[in-house]
Amino acid sequence: MKTLKWGLIGCGDIVVRRVGPALQALPSCELIAVARADAARAAECARRFKAPKSYEHWQYLVADPDIEAVYIATPVFLHEEQTLACAQAGKHVLCEKPMALSTAECDRMINACAQANVKLSIAYYRHFYPVLARVKALLASGAIGKPTLIQVNAFDWFDAEPGGFRAWLLEKDKAGGGPLMDFGCHRLEALLHLFGPVAHITGLHDRLHFAAREVEDTAVALLKFESGPLAVLSITHATTTSRDTVDIYGTAGSIHIPSLNLGTLHIQRDSQIQTEAHPPHQNLHWPH
């Protein structure tokens, strides 16, 4: 088995909890280097995941000839610059979500990697969840008839401390937007995986509680899929009631996921409810 040699740009929470352990444990991956502007934290992260090198400047990591692929785990506003540099250096790229601040930036990232003949992927992993694989199979089999309406709710209270390590998520020029950009995009990607391309989309967003924020705290998107059904995606930072639900209604039944990250599934047809369990790997970034 060929081993892919990786570099990591960024040492934040997602790297420590998910990405680093996955790269360290997978026999097909070898973590070569870590980069972070805080040199001490870069060195600490490298030691934690047994990477032989650490860099204070990400540009040095990108230039390292021992590295074949780079995982970009930095704030959104840095994704385009770092991806373009990786492409120019001939490195494959796996970039954290959301991809970039605008479609123009996304297009430049795609074009640069295509021209350099390197792979570009975005770290959307939820469509690998066993529960979504089961839902996709149920839809294909016609288990609930023709899908007509999908409702997705993702609610997560978030009020970052000023100057805290996640405060950049509330700065529009760094994050691009609020919860829809941050974690709503995961649900959009899952919906695209299940139902295909979107024919029409519209939405609303507002600062309903955190009036001083630069980004919205609540957003709703309405989607019409080319395959037929409508979907309502509701996302908020402004309630202490946590939700991560998916409900799919069809002409002959319905499918309900009460917590997407847990993998419990209810299939309802007439008055009968069938409950199944399809939990993901303990490390959500682990390949399936």
Side-chain angles (χ1 to χ4, degrees), residues 18 29 32 61 69-70 78-79 85 146:
R18 305 293 187 191
C29 298
I32 299 296
L61 181 146
V70 177
L78 296 170
H79 289 179
K146 180 181 178 180

Side-chain angles (χ1 to χ4, degrees), residues 30-202:
E30 182 181 357
L31 184 56
I32 299 296
V34 174
R36 185 182 174 119
D38 184 327
R41 292 193 68 177
E44 178 187 355
C45 187
R47 286 193 297 272
R48 177 193 289 256
F49 298 117
K50 298 181 171 58
K53 305 177 188 179
S54 66
Y55 293 105
E56 182 178 358
H57 303 289
W58 63 264
Q59 293 88 344
Y60 295 158
L61 181 146
V62 171
D64 189 326
D66 292 334
I67 292 172
E68 301 170 299
V70 177
Y71 195 113
I72 296 175
T74 54
V76 186
F77 73 100
L78 296 170
H79 289 179
E80 181 195 13
E81 179 187 8
Q82 292 170 343
T83 296
L84 297 185
C86 288
Q88 187 174 10
K91 317 291 189 189
H92 303 295
V93 177
L94 181 53
C95 183
E96 262 301 328
K97 57 77 199 168
M99 183 173 177
L101 293 175
S102 68
T103 53
E105 290 188 0
C106 293
D107 288 340
R108 288 193 289 269
M109 292 163 69
I110 292 168
N111 292 336
C113 289
Q115 291 171 10
N117 197 29
V118 296
K119 295 185 182 299
L120 169 63
S121 187
I122 310 303
Y124 289 117
Y125 52 82
R126 279 175 172 78
H127 67 267
F128 291 114
Y129 280 6
V131 70
L132 289 187
R134 174 62 171 149
V135 170
K136 196 171 180 69
L138 286 167
L139 295 172
S141 71
I144 63 167
K146 180 181 178 180
T148 53
L149 179 65
I150 305 102
Q151 294 180 317
V152 178
N153 293 326
F155 308 160
D156 184 25
W157 177 267
F158 180 61
D159 188 15
E161 291 284 337
F165 78 99
R166 298 190 71 199
W168 68 268
L169 286 164
L170 305 181
E171 299 177 40
K172 188 172 179 59
D173 61 344
K174 293 182 178 179
L180 186 57
M181 284 282 285
D182 180 28
F183 58 88
C185 61
H186 268 302
R187 281 78 188 168
L188 283 170
E189 194 271 343
L191 288 172
L192 292 171
H193 175 68
L194 292 175
F195 299 102
V198 172
H200 179 72
I201 184 169
T202 188

Side-chain angles (χ1 to χ4, degrees), residues 157 204-213 215-220 235-239:
W157 177 267
L204 293 169
H205 63 86
D206 208 338
R207 295 185 292 269
L208 297 177
H209 178 68
F210 298 102
R213 283 189 180 178
V215 298
E216 83 283 354
D217 61 28
T218 303
V220 177
I235 308 290
T236 187
H237 276 159
T239 178

